[in-house]
Amino acid sequence: MNDCLLCEQKIASVPSWKALLALEKQTAICQDCSKKFQRADIKEEDKLLDQVTSLYTYNEAMREYLHQFKFLQDVALASVFANELRTLLKGDPTIVPIPMHPEKRIERTFAPVDELLKSARLPFTHLLEKTGMEAMGEKSKEQRLAVKPLFRLKPGTSVQPSTYILLDDIYTTGTTLRHAATVLKEAGATRVEAVTLIRAER
Ligand SMILES: [Zn+2]
């Protein structure tokens, strides 16, 4: 029996031979808390992104989750969606996390997207690096489209003619993911998909 990472109540586990043999994965949050997150199940296609899959919508529970995970730096919360991400992403394609600007990375002390993957025990490769520190949220759509490339290929890395999966925490306008996909495709990727934990309403 473990405590829910969000509300700290005990998670009642049904005694079973699977649990005894530790074949059943421990859940990080209780059922009451997991019900508060609203499924998105959004899959769509884009010119640059061959497929985008988002798991949840941005609701009150998710807003609180992100606040505690990213801003209050509660790294343990990376495990809340670990089982789900693992189920969705385990397999062959190379997972490429959307990188943070190094200065922001130091400020935050950890990279939330990397932590989601580590917690899900999924291997990943950093192929991209940030070119600048521009915050997308403060710009108009025209400014966002005119902006210089947000990412470049990380020196010393190479892209194969195969499928890559970009991972980001939240999809808002899609600009970030499209910039990242452009870099990978120009470097030779045949297919670039994206998975985000959250899809925010536009
Ligand atoms: Zn709970």
Side-chain angles (χ1 to χ4, degrees):
M1 204 147 83
N2 59 310
D3 293 348
C4 170
L5 283 175
L6 298 177
C7 71
E8 280 154 30
Q9 73 169 316
K10 290 252 179 287
I11 299 174
S13 56
V14 189
S16 68
W17 63 271
K18 273 189 171 176
L20 283 169
L21 294 170
L23 291 172
E24 229 158 51
K25 287 178 217 118
Q26 266 201 338
T27 45
I29 57 171
C30 71
Q31 282 203 6
D32 291 343
C33 286
S34 58
K35 271 186 230 151
K36 288 178 189 160
F37 294 105
Q38 195 190 345
R39 286 220 162 269
D41 286 324
I42 293 173
K43 276 191 188 176
E44 60 181 54
E45 281 176 43
D46 200 278
K47 249 182 267 165
L48 288 159
L49 292 160
D50 295 290
Q51 183 175 285
V52 184
T53 307
S54 304
L55 296 173
Y56 290 93
T57 62
Y58 187 74
N59 66 358
E60 184 60 21
M62 196 53 91
R63 192 189 65 76
E64 278 174 27
Y65 169 79
L66 280 186
H67 180 77
Q68 203 179 333
F69 177 39
K70 289 171 76 171
F71 296 95
L72 304 179
Q73 304 176 349
D74 191 347
V75 188
L77 291 192
S79 66
V80 169
F81 302 104
N83 291 346
E84 205 171 344
L85 284 170
R86 183 167 170 77
T87 307
L88 182 71
L89 289 167
K90 69 177 172 198
D92 287 326
T94 307
I95 302 170
V96 180
I98 294 295
M100 286 174 99
H101 190 277
E103 280 170 41
K104 208 171 178 192
R105 168 81 177 71
I106 291 161
E107 209 177 281
R108 279 273 166 81
T109 71
F110 71 98
V113 176
D114 292 10
E115 293 302 324
L116 288 174
L117 289 166
K118 281 187 213 162
S119 188
R121 288 176 288 117
L122 289 162
F124 57 90
T125 314
H126 273 292
L127 292 177
L128 302 168
E129 63 180 22
K130 279 277 235 185
T131 52
M133 216 189 164
E134 310 197 48
M136 291 314 261
E138 292 152 27
K139 293 183 187 298
S140 70
K141 195 176 178 192
E142 289 69 31
Q143 283 175 311
R144 280 199 304 268
L145 293 172
V147 86
K148 64 177 167 61
L150 292 172
F151 305 103
R152 61 175 162 249
L153 207 62
K154 210 174 166 182
T157 60
S158 66
V159 172
Q160 307 305 315
S162 60
T163 301
Y164 290 84
I165 298 189
L166 296 164
L167 188 83
D168 207 358
D169 48 1
I170 187 160
Y171 180 115
T172 311
T173 60
T175 309
T176 303
L177 290 172
R178 280 193 289 274
H179 272 251
T182 304
V183 176
L184 295 182
K185 286 215 166 156
E186 281 175 357
T190 43
R191 190 176 163 84
V192 180
E193 298 177 12
V195 169
T196 72
L197 179 61
I198 307 150
R199 175 59 185 259
E201 300 301 324
R202 268 183 271 191

